[in-house]
Amino acid sequence: MNACFSLSHFPSCWKVAKVTIIGKPNKPAYDTLNSFRPISLVNTFAKILEKLILNRLLWHSSISQWLSQNQHGFTQGRSTETAAHSLISFCDEGRDAKCVTACAFLDIKSAFDAAWHPAIISALAVRNCPRYLVQLVFDFLSNRTAILSLEGSSSSFHVDLGCPQGGVLSPFLWSVLVDDVLRLKFSFPFRILGYADDLTVATYHKDPSIATRNLQSMCDEVSNWCLISKLSLNAIKTVFMIMCKRLFDWSPLSITINGMLIPPSIETLFLG
């Protein structure tokens, strides 16, 4: 087999994916499309080339520190445990300061499937990623084809959005894309945590209403970034929590995501 291609070319025949639909875990029902995830099955040689590209990207990323320490997903030495420890430590910090900690657990809607290719390429370029790698990633993302088979029939679709679910490169490309959110700065105590497409933002203040107002400012900044990147927050999946030692009336407090009012919750499932 002849496999001749330039450094900036990803072979077209390797950009064809057979898509398998699987149910997302821990769903109470599977009667909506949102309860399923498409997984891309690609050519073995494509996976090898993706792995080579990823190794080069990881090397440049480690040398130039492309990714924030606040990213706990797809990162060596980090996990759901380190994310949970960081959040708990911040809440403890607020408790020691006799403050109320306000947290919002955010979900980016269809993150991998909706990732905008120009935003990914721009994120690589501003990090001074070598030009040949930027061009190679651009070609990898461009003109992809998905083949969906069901009950003996199949259909092919042109894909010009998103990172292939199950792809070797996809987790890293998403991490680069979302990195700017994890580097946002605010004038009050805050913590931003990322784990894949899950984001947690938190802040504390002695006054619960001010803590909530500052949390809203953080959510607004995340939402603005999503708007620029052609993504959006999933308001239905957003959870707002107040953490403190003393009892008080939480009912007047709320945050707003995409026009939806989110009241305080007494519990949430953090990173599954």
Side-chain angles (χ1 to χ4, degrees):
M1 174 182 175
N2 292 324
C4 296
F5 47 86
S6 66
L7 285 175
S8 60
H9 176 64
F10 199 99
S12 298
C13 60
W14 292 355
K15 293 191 285 186
V16 178
K18 293 181 180 180
V19 178
T20 297
I21 307 298
I22 64 172
K24 295 180 180 178
N26 305 320
K27 290 291 181 181
Y30 291 90
D31 52 0
T32 65
L33 290 176
N34 290 334
S35 298
F36 296 89
R37 175 178 289 116
I39 299 297
S40 299
L41 306 177
V42 298
N43 183 290
T44 300
F45 291 106
K47 291 183 180 180
I48 293 172
L49 181 52
E50 279 190 65
K51 186 67 174 178
L52 292 173
I53 298 169
L54 177 61
N55 286 340
R56 295 307 300 164
L57 289 170
L58 288 173
W59 185 84
H60 287 287
S61 176
S62 64
I63 294 298
S64 303
Q65 297 182 336
W66 287 358
L67 302 181
S68 166
Q69 294 296 306
N70 294 323
Q71 176 60 265
H72 294 264
F74 315 128
T75 305
Q76 187 174 10
R78 293 181 177 268
S79 63
T80 53
E81 290 184 3
T82 59
H85 182 269
S86 180
L87 179 59
I88 292 170
S89 296
F90 184 76
C91 292
D92 287 345
E93 186 180 304
R95 181 198 60 195
D96 292 343
K98 296 180 171 53
C99 290
V100 171
T101 301
C103 302
F105 301 87
L106 308 173
D107 178 84
I108 298 177
K109 189 181 298 183
S110 303
F112 274 62
D113 297 329
W116 189 39
H117 295 169
I120 296 173
I121 297 304
S122 176
L124 289 172
V126 298
R127 286 164 175 76
N128 295 317
C129 178
R131 185 176 178 182
Y132 81 92
L133 279 174
V134 174
Q135 292 175 333
L136 191 48
V137 171
F138 176 77
D139 197 54
F140 163 75
L141 293 172
S142 302
N143 301 313
R144 299 191 66 87
T145 300
I147 300 176
L148 181 62
S149 299
L150 183 64
E151 296 181 351
S153 61
S154 63
S155 298
S156 62
F157 304 89
H158 176 71
V159 181
D160 57 6
L161 194 67
C163 300
Q165 290 271 10
V168 176
L169 266 174
S170 297
F172 179 82
L173 296 180
W174 172 258
S175 296
V176 171
L177 173 60
V178 79
D179 187 70
D180 286 344
V181 168
L182 304 180
R183 296 179 187 269
L184 290 172
K185 300 295 182 184
F186 299 92
S187 60
F188 44 80
F190 71 95
R191 182 67 51 90
I192 304 176
L193 302 173
Y195 192 93
D197 55 348
D198 291 310
L199 295 173
T200 302
V201 295
T203 182
Y204 59 75
H205 196 277
K206 292 183 182 296
D207 187 332
S209 62
I210 294 178
T212 302
R213 187 171 68 225
N214 289 344
L215 184 70
Q216 182 68 64
S217 296
M218 296 180 72
C219 291
D220 290 343
E221 286 298 312
V222 174
S223 186
N224 288 338
W225 174 86
C226 286
L227 185 64
I228 293 170
S229 302
K230 299 189 182 299
L231 295 165
S232 64
L233 294 176
N234 192 333
I236 295 175
K237 289 186 176 181
T238 295
V239 177
F240 165 45
M241 294 188 70
I242 294 289
M243 302 182 187
C244 67
K245 294 176 66 175
R246 67 183 187 274
L247 295 176
F248 64 91
D249 183 11
W250 295 352
S251 58
L253 303 177
S254 64
I255 59 173
T256 302
I257 303 293
N258 296 339
M260 178 181 285
L261 204 65
I262 313 292
S265 174
I266 62 172
E267 64 179 6
T268 188
L269 184 65
F270 183 53
L271 300 178

